[in-house]
Amino acid sequence: METRTGFLISHIKQVQGRVFERLLQTCGVDEFNGPQGHILYVLWKSEGIPIVELAQKTGLAKNTLTVMLCRMEENGLICREVSASDRRQSLISLTPKARALEKRYNQVSQQMNSLFFKDFEKVEIKELEQYLDRIVSNLERAEQALKKGKDVHDGKGKN
């Protein structure tokens, strides 16, 4: 059976990105863009983490993340500190400027949630998120298998 799920997820990501950028502008947040906001969100939850961990939590490739962090550092949003336990490792922390933006970012995120789930029942939201969690889990397992050179097609697809 042919499905449109991958296309729909990609389309949602594109439209969501454009809407999120506009909402940020409307709320007067011009210190960072949507993708940088995702990095900030992770750091607001767990600050002072190594780049490798930040890459895992954001889902960004390490080289992409490094470029974005350079721009964010130039804009005074993050700082890098040498780890006390491993001097080869840099820890990424927020600046006071970035901490001050969290409340406005959260307001925009709440607006996005309202737009995402307009006319949805709570049970529908929960069910959708469970399905999406399963998709993420399936893809992460496949990614790990591919890194190890394994075949990811198990022939047991239900569609």
Side-chain angles (χ1 to χ4, degrees), residues 33-52:
N33 60 32
Q36 292 172 341
H38 187 63
I39 294 168
L40 290 172
Y41 175 80
V42 170
L43 291 171
W44 284 319
K45 300 295 180 200
S46 54
E47 190 175 348
I49 60 175
I51 292 176
V52 172

Side-chain angles (χ1 to χ4, degrees), residues 60-145:
L60 295 169
K62 199 171 153 192
N63 58 346
T64 302
L65 181 60
T66 301
V67 172
M68 293 175 73
L69 290 174
C70 285
R71 276 191 239 123
M72 293 173 74
E73 191 170 27
E74 289 169 7
N75 291 335
L77 296 170
I78 59 112
C79 57
R80 300 170 200 249
E81 302 162 355
V82 177
S83 170
S85 61
D86 183 352
R87 300 199 51 78
R88 298 168 296 171
Q89 191 174 61
S90 289
L91 302 179
I92 308 302
S93 295
L94 296 169
T95 63
K97 177 181 178 179
R99 282 188 206 99
L101 296 167
E102 184 176 8
K103 185 176 180 180
R104 286 192 286 166
Y105 178 88
N106 286 338
Q107 290 171 338
V108 173
S109 290
Q110 287 303 313
Q111 287 178 301
M112 283 303 299
N113 277 338
S114 295
L115 293 172
F116 263 114
F117 298 116
K118 184 178 188 282
D119 300 327
F120 274 69
E121 299 293 329
K122 286 183 182 183
V123 68
E124 292 174 312
I125 295 168
K126 185 176 180 179
E127 190 173 276
L128 174 62
E129 288 181 343
Q130 288 172 338
Y131 289 137
L132 293 173
D133 282 339
R134 281 174 51 195
I135 291 171
V136 168
S137 180
N138 290 342
L139 292 174
E140 286 174 343
R141 278 195 306 274
E143 181 180 40
Q144 291 305 311

